[in-house]
Amino acid sequence: MTESAPGLLLLAATPIGAVADASPRLRAALRDADVVAAEDTRRLSRLTTALAVEPTGRVVSYHEHNESRRTPELVEALVGGATVLVVTDAGMPSVSDPGYRLVAAAVDAGVRVSAVPGPSAVLTALAVSGLPVDRFCFEGFLPRKGGERARALAELAGERRTLVFFEAPHRLAATLHALAEAFGVERRGAVCRELTKTYEEVVRGGLADLVAWAEAGEVRGEVTLVVEGAPAAAAASVDELVGQVQQRAADGLRLKDAVAEVAGTHGVSKRELYDAVLAARTRP
């Protein structure tokens, strides 16, 4: 085991809406850090102004377009003994935001990594969704292209845990429609919009109802989407599912996608089901 370097990497959660949610530790870290690496320095300036905090350290940008280039520079500062604070536009860094690369590099360099916990859109949406929260998985943003999104959802169709997604408001209706096709229109969900902000809104219902709501008007603001996990499926043998795969393939779905969808729904091995489908083709 390598000894920790004298520096410290701090990941700090920032408010997802209400500035009053900022913790005293966040204020102190913004004030005292040697380097503040911000996803958007302009938004950081607005935040520090609202908090009446003046950073005493150097402020640098750290976002998806310069993350690879800037990480070595920040690691060098950490190894040299600096305290580097990472903040993103909202919530915890490295959760669908910059931060992971720097954490991994800092760990490799033997630098201590810690966090200033705080607001989280994922956990807030789960808490208010009305859906089971004892087991969940976070999927971030789904692929934008329809085919890639359909394949990703086919893989998740049998997931028993509650699912959490981020989505842009202008893509929400299309994503909800794709979810209804992949999971069934009765699967429950919750659209959580503008969490902790003045116009916070949580819309709950079956996926068909949520599609109709999203298509009825313009959706604005930050959106976190929570979807109920798959119900327990009756046990079925691989051979019994071959016909379902064949029917989906006949309807135009690629064989691998059809296998993934059926296997996910029934909780069987994709490889075993794929082999059974190929074997069925060779039977007289």
Side-chain angles (χ1 to χ4, degrees), residues 133-149:
V133 298
D134 53 334
R135 298 176 67 241
F136 68 91
C137 57
F138 173 60
E139 293 294 323
F141 286 92
L142 286 164
R144 296 185 182 186
K145 295 183 179 179
E148 294 177 4
R149 183 174 56 207

Side-chain angles (χ1 to χ4, degrees), residues 169-213:
H170 64 279
R171 291 196 298 267
L172 180 62
T175 294
L176 287 168
H177 184 74
L179 283 162
E181 286 190 338
F183 296 171
V185 296
E186 299 300 323
R187 187 82 71 90
R188 294 183 298 161
V191 176
C192 305
R193 189 182 70 83
E194 293 290 87
L195 288 169
T196 79
K197 299 178 183 177
T198 302
Y199 298 104
E200 175 179 290
E201 182 178 23
V202 180
V203 183
R204 306 174 183 88
L207 289 174
D209 298 325
L210 295 179
V211 170
W213 169 80

